[in-house]
Structure formats: structure tokens, C-alpha cells
Amino acid sequence: MRTAWMVGLLGVALVAGGCVGTLDGRRQAGVPFVKDRVEGRYERPVERVYAAAREVIRFNGTLVRESTQHGETSTVRILEGKVNQRTVWVRVEPVDPKVTSVVVQVRTPAGGKDLDLAHEIEKQIALQLTR
């Protein structure tokens, strides 16, 4: 009886672990309800910010996927890469004609967050834009 109770409790814990949404619209197993993304806004064109983000991911790790999502109001560019055995997503979208938003999301292989790496990637993108 006690074993069945523990197995049931373990099953509930696994289901409660859940899935998290990624910046590219997909879902990944992970710990939900924790902050795992950092946003920055820059007075630069989308293409320049996107190129800087691509360069930062290539410098720090491996670029895995590039994609474009066409929305109702604007086009969103998304990068996915691997840095230090973590999965990194970078979403670049225009806020207005002069301002571009960059959102960086980082998840560990176990589904946890790595907010320090997200801050570091976002900071490196900002520094890349000054060159």
C-alpha cells in the first residue's frame, strides 16, 4: 500500500514539473513559473540587432536554428543555440521603427533556468551593437 502511494505521489510530481514555452513557440520539459528570460531594448534596426545576436551565439557556442515568424503586425526573428550545454533562445522584434526588442531565454538540460547566462548573452549583444 505504501509503495503504491509513493508511486502515485511521484507521478503527480512529474506531471506538476510540466512544460515551459520557449521563445520560438515550442514547448520543452522544464520547471514552470520561474523567470528564465531577460529583455533589452535598443535604438537600432532589427537586422543589425539580429546580426549582433547571431554573432554572439556563434562566439559563445553553436547556432542550432534560425527562424522567422510572420505576425499580424511585424516579423519576429528567432535564434536557437547551445552555449555551455544550455539551450539559448534569442527573440528579436521591432517595437517601433526605431526601437528593437531582444528577449533572451536560457534553460539547462534538466529544464531549470540559467538567468546569469541570459543576462550575459543580452549584455554581449548590447556590446556587439556598439562596434
Side-chain angles (χ1 to χ4, degrees), residues 20-98:
V20 294
T22 62
L23 293 177
D24 60 358
R26 299 176 184 195
R27 307 220 28 99
Q28 178 182 354
V31 180
F33 311 117
V34 294
K35 182 179 178 180
D36 64 346
R37 38 188 97 179
V38 176
E39 181 178 5
R41 292 184 177 210
Y42 308 106
E43 285 191 34
R44 301 282 191 276
V46 173
E47 290 303 319
R48 187 158 176 221
V49 175
Y50 183 75
R54 185 179 334 125
E55 182 64 32
V56 166
I57 289 180
R58 284 184 180 159
F59 177 77
N60 288 293
T62 305
L63 183 62
V64 175
R65 181 179 297 123
E66 295 182 61
S67 61
T68 304
Q69 294 178 346
H70 300 284
E72 295 174 8
T73 59
S74 65
T75 300
V76 177
R77 313 263 329 252
I78 299 169
L79 298 166
E80 181 180 342
K82 292 285 188 179
V83 176
N84 296 338
Q85 299 176 348
R86 272 111 171 100
T87 305
V88 177
W89 293 272
V90 179
R91 180 182 177 109
V92 179
E93 65 182 307
V95 175
D96 62 39
K98 291 184 178 183

